[in-house]
Amino acid sequence: MKLVRYSKILKSLEMREIVLLKSFPCRWGRCSFCSYIDDNSTDPDEIDRLNSEVLLNVTGEFKVLEVINSGSCFEIPEKSLLAIRQTVERCGIEKLYFEAHWSYRHKLHEFKQFFKVKTFFITGIETFDDYFRNQVLKKGVVFANVDEIKRYFDSVCIMVGMLGQTKEMIIRDVKILLDNFEHGTVNMFVENQTEIKPDLDLQRWFKQEYVWLNDVKKVDVLWKNTDFGVGTVLNE
Ligand code: SF4
């Protein structure tokens, strides 16, 4: 599978370079909508070789680098983490974005200490509806309130347009994101091989009602899962 692994995010609150690195399989690995496993490997040498090549694309143009992988950043092998740190030093990167599952929330400080630059952590909440998030999507993200998320993470991702979701759920999710976070990502669900199916009517409604989100700087909207310029188009 050929993936685009380097790009630049230009339409966002913070312009940044982005790399899609390879990693070990997601430790949680149970989300019912997730097909990321296709880009995982258990061979650290293969992963490190590829990641080193990908990181050579980084120039430090914006002094900000987002590192994503098909899982959480804690599933990136150690040598690749060292390669990221070398890239930070080589390019004068001042801020790193990472993504991690909620279960890693007590480890985030390790990355802060390791990279010694500003870190910005994103987590996939998908929806603030507890039942849909954990019983349907099997996300394994249990929190008491939004403040608990903010204690650990700077930004959340939500997902829209799945069968079983309602307009009311989406309206509430977007409102919570906008009212509480300095940055967020809205992902339009793209059909894959999993049991979760898109709700095309709901997606049409969302595109009409929320087109204005394109102008909200603190929200990155991925109408397609390749809108950041990395990854393959799963459904075209
Ligand atoms: S935590 Fe992320 S990578 Fe892991 S199964 Fe869930 S969506 Fe997939």
Side-chain angles (χ1 to χ4, degrees), residues 128-230:
F128 291 95
D129 183 291
D130 290 341
Y131 178 83
F132 198 76
R133 184 178 66 255
N134 286 324
Q135 303 306 318
V136 179
L137 301 181
K138 312 269 194 261
K139 191 70 202 183
V141 175
V142 178
F143 50 84
N145 50 47
V146 173
D147 284 341
E148 190 182 354
I149 304 173
K150 289 165 70 174
R151 205 177 303 149
Y152 302 99
F153 290 94
D154 305 292
S155 175
V156 293
C157 297
I158 60 172
M159 189 170 280
V160 300
M162 295 165 279
L163 269 184
Q165 245 182 340
T166 64
K167 291 178 184 175
E168 290 69 29
M169 281 163 58
I170 293 172
I171 291 167
R172 179 170 173 264
D173 288 343
V174 173
K175 180 166 172 35
I176 292 174
L177 189 161
L178 291 175
D179 288 351
N180 289 282
F181 293 92
E182 60 173 291
H183 176 267
T185 308
V186 179
N187 293 296
M188 180 73 83
F189 177 70
V190 175
E191 185 162 21
N192 54 28
Q193 308 304 320
T194 67
E195 66 196 55
I196 299 298
K197 298 298 167 203
D199 181 333
L200 298 180
D201 288 336
L202 196 61
Q203 293 196 358
R204 267 191 289 276
W205 165 81
F206 183 78
K207 280 178 193 162
Q208 279 175 1
E209 293 294 320
Y210 283 92
V211 67
W212 54 269
L213 275 178
N214 279 327
D215 299 321
V216 179
K217 280 279 184 190
K218 71 173 186 174
V219 178
D220 296 326
V221 187
L222 276 70
W223 301 101
K224 290 184 295 175
N225 57 353
T226 51
D227 276 354
F228 275 161
V230 290

Side-chain angles (χ1 to χ4, degrees), residues 26 28-31 33-34 36 70-72 101 126 139:
C26 168
W28 172 251
R30 276 171 262 178
C31 298
F33 62 92
C34 176
Y36 285 171
S70 299
S72 295
H101 183 262
E126 318 310 344
K139 191 70 202 183

Side-chain angles (χ1 to χ4, degrees), residues 69-151:
N69 58 296
S70 299
S72 295
C73 55
F74 293 95
E75 286 131 20
I76 298 172
E78 202 178 328
K79 273 193 187 162
S80 291
L81 294 180
L82 286 166
I84 298 170
R85 195 163 71 180
Q86 283 166 0
T87 305
V88 166
E89 289 162 2
R90 172 175 64 82
C91 300
I93 302 290
E94 294 169 358
K95 184 174 179 183
L96 286 167
Y97 283 57
F98 289 108
E99 289 185 8
H101 183 262
W102 177 246
S103 60
Y104 286 113
R105 64 195 179 282
H106 300 300
K107 283 175 71 70
L108 304 183
H109 66 279
E110 294 176 14
F111 264 36
K112 290 179 196 287
Q113 286 163 6
F114 181 77
F115 288 106
K116 297 187 174 65
V117 292
K118 200 170 175 204
T119 46
F120 188 88
F121 284 101
I122 301 170
T123 196
I125 293 296
E126 318 310 344
T127 174
F128 291 95
D129 183 291
D130 290 341
Y131 178 83
F132 198 76
R133 184 178 66 255
N134 286 324
Q135 303 306 318
V136 179
L137 301 181
K138 312 269 194 261
K139 191 70 202 183
V141 175
V142 178
F143 50 84
N145 50 47
V146 173
D147 284 341
E148 190 182 354
I149 304 173
K150 289 165 70 174
R151 205 177 303 149

Side-chain angles (χ1 to χ4, degrees), residues 41-69:
S41 169
T42 52
D43 178 352
D45 292 339
E46 178 206 351
I47 296 174
D48 293 329
R49 205 168 34 245
L50 184 132
N51 288 346
S52 295
E53 278 173 26
V54 173
L55 285 164
L56 286 177
N57 290 290
V58 177
T59 66
E61 181 177 355
F62 308 113
K63 306 287 177 209
V64 185
L65 174 64
E66 178 159 352
V67 176
I68 59 172
N69 58 296

